[in-house]
């Protein structure tokens, strides 16, 4: 295999690398580093060079200097690769906060080849934690909504004005309708007249006082007959104690 010299432009160091289309790595948005066991850079793509140029005023002599807080773990990761020769390792870490704004990164490291001295290639992906958190919240929200919708217990939620905004499948099937799509009087008409005090008066008294509510009453269900239900409801508050509505 032939070889050619490829200088690392920021440090004026030269290294012998196997010949290859390294210019293609400049199209990769992540930061690509090729370096030896001491962390000396032998090649960096354009994204990595821009990144290192921004850190020029700091004492960055090698790859490992980027991760002073986690350097021991990262060096051990590389030693594992030396011993195993094949495979790759991945680690989530941070670029030292003394160098730049604290950045969370994912490093994917593998042996560049089996030559001696050993060379490594690392793909450093700067993580968008805000975006990851939003995605995580979305996944949790979708799982939460699915749990509410499909649980065998009957569930409902109101807004701050105490208008129903959600009833799950179990409740819709039991009642034969969606309480979110009917008006207040239509719902009241489905409650047994003898149970209006518990189901209506006592419930709204609890709502005014923002208290928990428990009551038993009869209501017309999907088959057109009255059935007894045990209702438990509680006010929902945000972290600042602001009223969000009721759920039951």
């Amino acid at each position: 295999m032939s070889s050619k010299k490829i200088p690392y432009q920021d440090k004026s160091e030269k290294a012998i690398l196997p010949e290859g289309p390294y210019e293609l790595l400049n199209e990769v948005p992540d930061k690509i580093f090729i370096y030896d066991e001491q962390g000396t850079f032998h090649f960096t793509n354009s994204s990595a060079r821009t990144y290192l140029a921004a850190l020029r005023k700091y004492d960055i002599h090698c790859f490992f200097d980027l991760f002073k807080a986690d350097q021991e773990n990262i060096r051990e990761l590389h030693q594992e690769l030396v011993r195993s020769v094949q495979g790759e390792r991945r680690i989530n870490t941070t670029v030292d906060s003394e160098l730049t704004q604290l950045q969370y990164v994912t490093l994917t490291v593998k042996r560049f080849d089996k030559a001696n001295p050993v060379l490594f290639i690392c793909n450093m992906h700067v993580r968008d934690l805000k975006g990851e958190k939003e995605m995580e919240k979305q996944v949790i929200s979708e799982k939460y909504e699915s749990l509410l919708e499909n649980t065998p217990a009957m569930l409902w939620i109101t807004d701050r004005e105490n208008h129903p905004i959600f009833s799950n499948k179990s409740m819709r099937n039991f009642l034969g309708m969606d309480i979110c799509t009917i008006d207040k009087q239509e719902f009241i008409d489905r409650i047994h007249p003898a149970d209006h005090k518990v189901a209506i008066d006592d419930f709204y008294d609890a709502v005014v006082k923002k208290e928990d509510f428990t009551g038993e009453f009869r209501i017309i269900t999907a088959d057109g007959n009255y059935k007894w239900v045990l209702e438990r409801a509680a006010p929902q508050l945000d972290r600042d104690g602001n009223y969000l509505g009721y759920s039951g």
Side-chain angles (χ1 to χ4, degrees), residues 34-49:
I34 299 176
Y35 49 95
D36 58 31
E37 287 182 276
Q38 286 70 47
T40 302
F41 296 110
H42 290 243
F43 173 83
T44 53
N45 72 345
S46 59
S47 177
R49 288 195 295 273

Side-chain angles (χ1 to χ4, degrees), residues 8 10 47-58 60 99-100 103:
Y8 170 58
D10 287 338
S47 177
R49 288 195 295 273
T50 300
Y51 187 73
L52 290 171
L55 303 178
R56 188 188 300 274
K57 66 180 180 178
Y58 300 104
I60 306 297
L99 305 179
T100 181
Q103 289 183 328

